[in-house]
Amino acid sequence: MMRISARFQCLTVLKPRFLTVRYSTELFVSRLSFYTKRDEFKKMFSQFGNVKEARLIMDSKTGRTKGYGFVTFETEAEAQNAIKVFHGKFGRGQISES
């Protein structure tokens, strides 16, 4: 099962009791197949918006991925939409029901 998370910041606006939560445009994606290719990784997320960067972390000894990577979107809304759809799903280039 693939997991996706994003960093967020709480920003104080005017008074301490009013908080605005702002999410990052960079997502951390884990539990990927070790055979995931860079192109298919980017393609999986490009359906949600403009992907600025899609990085798979590679194992230098085997040349395969380590099973996780990072995706950076243009906007927070695109990143949040990807989280809603992909969180708890799994797939190798496809979205599957868990």
Side-chain angles (χ1 to χ4, degrees):
M1 187 180 325
M2 182 169 49
R3 292 198 183 259
I4 300 176
S5 63
R7 292 183 229 151
F8 66 91
Q9 303 169 349
C10 289
L11 305 172
T12 303
V13 180
L14 298 177
K15 296 182 181 178
R17 64 183 179 164
F18 296 106
L19 295 177
T20 301
V21 177
R22 182 170 182 184
Y23 290 90
S24 172
T25 57
E26 183 176 58
L27 305 179
F28 170 76
V29 184
S30 64
R31 297 185 180 181
L32 293 168
S33 166
F34 295 113
Y35 300 100
T36 303
K37 303 287 185 218
R38 289 180 185 175
D39 292 339
E40 69 181 11
F41 182 62
K42 184 173 182 175
K43 187 177 177 182
M44 267 194 304
F45 289 94
S46 64
Q47 62 186 313
F48 301 106
N50 189 16
V51 176
K52 289 172 56 176
E53 181 183 26
R55 282 183 293 140
L56 287 172
I57 307 305
M58 306 301 284
D59 184 333
S60 59
K61 292 181 183 177
T62 64
R64 296 186 300 185
T65 69
K66 290 188 173 186
Y68 64 94
F70 299 88
V71 179
T72 305
F73 286 95
E74 285 286 330
T75 67
E76 293 174 29
E78 294 167 343
Q80 286 302 306
N81 193 26
I83 289 172
K84 287 178 189 174
V85 172
F86 275 124
H87 186 71
K89 307 288 182 176
F90 64 95
R92 192 165 171 253
Q94 299 179 359
I95 304 171
S96 303
E97 290 298 324
S98 56

